């Protein structure tokens, strides 16, 4: 009977945690990188992943995108509108915008 090299065998927790993952994900090095994160960074990563998941994302996979790209005239008109709004003092300041990002993206300090 051949001896089994225990280092070649996956541990139960490791096998259970990776069950259902694609080969590419398991071999990508991402799991190793995540395992080295601090507990707080792992929590932030989990919140980020949950925040980016689309409910019922499968329904969007087969939808055709019939939108046409903006023309240069349309883009320039939008830029002109934004510049007029800025001149009028409308919109948010850079600091207000960054404060909003910091609230939404917890890893920004």
């Amino acid at each position: 009977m051949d001896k089994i090299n225990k280092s070649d065998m996956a541990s139960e927790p490791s096998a259970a945690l990776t069950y259902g993952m694609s080969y590419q994900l398991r071999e990508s090095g991402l799991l190793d990188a995540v395992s080295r994160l601090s507990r707080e960074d792992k929590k932030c990563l989990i919140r980020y992943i949950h925040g980016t998941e689309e409910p019922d994302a499968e329904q969007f996979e087969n939808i055709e995108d019939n939108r046409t790209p903006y023309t240069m005239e349309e883009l320039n008109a939008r830029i002109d509108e934004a510049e007029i709004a800025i001149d009028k003092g409308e919109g948010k300041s850079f600091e207000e915008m960054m404060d909003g990002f910091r609230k939404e993206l917890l890893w920004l300090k």
Side-chain angles (χ1 to χ4, degrees):
M1 187 173 204
D2 292 336
K3 274 189 149 184
I4 298 174
N5 186 353
K6 290 186 180 183
S7 65
D8 293 338
M9 297 175 53
S11 67
E12 282 188 48
S14 159
L17 291 173
T18 59
Y19 177 78
M21 289 183 185
S22 68
Y23 174 79
Q24 290 87 0
L25 176 58
R26 287 192 310 270
E27 297 299 316
S28 69
L30 178 64
L31 299 176
D32 184 49
V34 169
S35 71
R36 288 183 265 133
L37 292 175
S38 70
R39 184 175 180 86
E40 188 58 36
D41 285 341
K42 286 177 186 174
K43 288 178 185 178
C44 288
L45 180 60
I46 289 168
R47 285 193 295 267
Y48 172 77
I49 291 169
H50 283 291
T52 59
E53 289 178 348
E54 291 282 338
D56 303 322
E58 303 83 38
Q59 70 181 346
F60 297 108
E61 290 177 3
N62 298 323
I63 294 177
E64 287 186 32
D65 187 4
N66 294 327
R67 294 178 290 178
T68 56
Y70 288 111
T71 65
M72 285 305 294
E73 292 79 21
E74 291 171 323
L75 287 172
N76 286 327
R78 291 179 66 127
I79 291 170
D80 291 341
E81 289 173 16
E83 288 176 341
I84 290 169
I86 290 168
D87 290 341
K88 291 180 180 177
E90 298 172 358
K92 294 181 180 180
S93 70
F94 178 77
E95 281 306 315
E96 290 171 328
M97 183 183 66
M98 289 306 294
D99 287 342
F101 284 141
R102 286 184 191 100
K103 289 177 186 170
E104 290 292 320
L105 308 172
L106 300 175
W107 59 88
L108 293 177
K109 305 259 177 187

